[in-house]
């Protein structure tokens, strides 16, 4: 038999989640971006904040930026249980104070955000960062979730108030039966100022990927791993970074563990003059991109494809049995083929092929393959 399927973690995730609830009363696991415990967070600037501050995407064209929104993609794959809703949460989605602190149980550290004034021409040197005051923070943030066909499911504007500050807020619940499987987009824009935030999606068998994002660190030498997939036969992998201010490092690790040292961009510029780092004839599989930056250094990482926040490497298992010890000529034999994905990520486009031995004749296959 020859079948093509997507091997989904949720077949076993339901069992694991049930065990956790019975044992310790835990809630279903979630995918968080950046991962829980990371000292790197996402940051969105207002359009009149110069691109040289580190957020190329949000800066308007006259400020040297991309003049667009930040974008995250939530992939709900074919075969996902339509009766199981998907929850999207945001951490600290509003701009209320000048710091984005660690989550509960972590050391809280203040992050002073750069204040930009429209009275200072972009050609002048960047002003010394100063803390915002509450009266200056009337800068609402808007988050918009769209279905695979582009329909707006949820759009919320978070004003500069304490109601959502330093908290996880339920932003949207996706009814998969209504909106179907596919790629959901979460976009955000900031009216002014600079706003730090995180995203969390549950259950955890889903893929949360980045396309247009800006990062910043709460600590010196803060590091984050991102993951990209290279298909067999691809001629190159290209990764650009913007405004790393010459610190600290970019490293690419192949699926087999080979490391490549990347180039680090300067202030307000792309690395290698905009060409980025190119790895020719890259090994196929999941590559890890690791960047390390100092506190208060905002930057953009831009691979030539989507990137994952958590290790998406699948681990497939396969078994086949007929349950017999002895067979006779002409006897009909039924083989049971079982497969599972016990790794942290989804295996897309996996192909399962069963080659019949000489002398055997195919009769029928049960199970949709």
């Amino acid at each position: 038999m020859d079948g093509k399927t997507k091997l989904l973690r949720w077949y076993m995730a339901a069992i694991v989640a049930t065990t956790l609830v019975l044992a310790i009363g835990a809630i279903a696991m979630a995918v968080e971006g950046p991962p829980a415990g990371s000292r790197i967070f996402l940051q969105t600037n207002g359009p009149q904040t110069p691109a040289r501050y580190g957020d190329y995407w949000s800066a308007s064209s006259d400020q040297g930026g991309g003049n667009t929104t930040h974008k995250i993609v939530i992939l709900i794959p074919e075969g996902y249980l339509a009766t199981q809703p998907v929850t999207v949460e945001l951490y600290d989605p509003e701009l209320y104070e000048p710091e984005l602190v660690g989550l509960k149980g972590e050391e809280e550290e203040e992050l002073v955000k750069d204040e930009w004034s429209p009275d200072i021409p972009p050609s002048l040197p960047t002003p010394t960062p100063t803390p915002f005051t509450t009266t200056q923070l009337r800068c609402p943030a808007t988050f918009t979730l769209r279905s695979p066909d582009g329909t707006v499911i949820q759009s919320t504007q978070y004003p500069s108030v304490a109601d959502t500050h330093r908290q996880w807020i339920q932003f949207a619940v996706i009814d998969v039966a209504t909106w179907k499987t596919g790629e959901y987009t979460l976009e955000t824009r900031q009216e002014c100022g600079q706003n730090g935030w995180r995203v969390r999606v549950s259950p955890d068998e889903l893929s949360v990927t980045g396309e247009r994002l800006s990062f910043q660190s709460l600590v010196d030498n803060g590091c984050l791993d991102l993951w990209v997939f290279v298909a067999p036969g691809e001629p190159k992998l290209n990764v650009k970074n913007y405004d790393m201010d010459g610190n600290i490092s970019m490293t690419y690790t192949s699926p087999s563990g080979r490391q490549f040292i990347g180039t680090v961009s300067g202030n307000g510029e792309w690395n290698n003059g905009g060409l980025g780092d190119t790895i020719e004839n890259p090994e196929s599989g999941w590559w890890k991109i690791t960047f390390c930056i100092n506190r208060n250094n905002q930057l953009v990482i831009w691979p030539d494809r989507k990137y994952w926040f958590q290790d998406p490497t699948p681990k497939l298992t396969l078994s086949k049995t007929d349950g017999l010890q002895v067979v006779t000529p002409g006897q009909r034999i039924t083989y049971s083929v079982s497969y599972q994905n016990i790794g942290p990520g989804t295996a897309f486009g996996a192909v399962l092929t069963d080659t019949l031995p000489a002398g055997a004749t195919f009769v029928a296959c049960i199970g949709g393959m």
Side-chain angles (χ1 to χ4, degrees), residues 198-209:
R198 299 178 189 266
V199 63
R200 185 165 68 188
V201 177
S202 59
D204 69 342
E205 65 266 21
L206 302 177
S207 296
V208 178
T209 66

Side-chain angles (χ1 to χ4, degrees), residues 7-297:
L7 307 183
L8 306 177
R9 276 186 70 209
W10 67 264
Y11 289 114
M12 64 175 299
I15 300 174
V16 175
T18 301
T19 302
L20 288 172
V21 170
L22 293 175
I24 57 177
I27 62 173
M29 300 294 287
V31 181
E32 190 171 326
S38 172
R39 307 302 281 165
I40 307 290
F41 63 94
L42 307 175
Q43 182 161 312
T44 304
N45 295 350
Q48 291 306 307
T49 303
R52 68 175 184 273
Y53 275 38
D55 184 1
Y56 170 83
W57 301 118
S58 293
S60 62
S61 300
D62 64 311
Q63 296 298 332
N67 196 33
T68 186
T69 59
H70 285 193
K71 182 179 178 182
I72 281 176
V73 176
I74 302 167
L75 175 60
I76 302 179
E78 295 177 16
Y80 182 84
L81 189 63
T83 56
Q84 182 174 349
V86 174
T87 302
V88 182
E89 299 173 279
L90 302 172
Y91 179 75
D92 204 5
E94 89 305 321
L95 176 57
Y96 180 70
E97 288 183 359
E99 68 272 8
L100 182 147
V101 299
L103 303 184
K104 184 177 180 181
E106 297 180 358
E107 177 186 359
E108 295 188 354
E109 295 187 60
E110 180 180 83
L111 174 71
V112 178
K113 297 189 177 181
D114 297 330
E115 178 184 357
W116 183 82
S117 169
D119 298 327
I120 303 175
S123 59
L124 295 182
T126 301
T128 302
T130 57
F132 279 123
T133 64
T134 303
T135 56
Q136 293 172 302
L137 299 184
R138 304 307 176 205
C139 299
T142 302
F143 290 81
T144 302
L145 178 69
R146 290 183 173 85
S147 68
D149 67 4
T151 303
V152 175
I153 299 175
Q154 180 71 37
S155 186
T156 302
Q157 186 178 84
Y158 294 95
S160 302
V161 295
D163 301 48
T164 56
H165 187 48
R166 302 182 186 178
Q167 301 178 56
W168 280 107
I169 303 298
Q170 180 173 293
F171 167 68
V173 177
I174 300 173
D175 181 357
V176 181
T178 299
W179 300 107
K180 311 304 179 184
T181 59
E183 292 188 348
Y184 291 73
T185 59
L186 174 64
E187 296 184 71
T188 182
R189 59 182 175 83
Q190 187 71 31
E191 295 299 321
C192 57
Q194 301 186 43
N195 183 32
W197 56 284
R198 299 178 189 266
V199 63
R200 185 165 68 188
V201 177
S202 59
D204 69 342
E205 65 266 21
L206 302 177
S207 296
V208 178
T209 66
E211 286 192 19
R212 300 190 300 261
L213 295 173
S214 176
F215 301 91
Q216 189 161 164
S217 177
L218 285 166
V219 295
D220 285 338
N221 200 26
C223 299
L224 182 66
D225 294 331
L226 303 174
W227 304 81
V228 296
F229 183 75
V230 174
E234 284 200 61
K236 65 179 181 178
L237 168 64
N238 180 263
V239 183
K240 297 180 176 67
N241 63 75
Y242 178 79
D243 196 49
M244 288 189 70
D245 297 338
N247 74 80
I248 298 177
S249 64
M250 284 287 301
T251 306
Y252 311 108
T253 305
S254 74
S256 63
R258 185 182 177 188
Q259 287 194 337
F260 299 80
I261 304 302
T263 55
V264 174
S265 56
N267 181 33
E269 60 186 26
W270 294 96
N271 61 326
N272 283 332
L275 298 177
D277 295 320
T278 299
I279 299 174
E280 304 287 348
N281 301 313
E283 179 184 344
S284 63
W286 288 101
W287 282 71
K288 181 171 66 174
I289 301 172
T290 304
F291 69 87
C292 298
I293 55 175
N294 281 330
R295 184 172 182 262
N296 291 350
N297 186 8

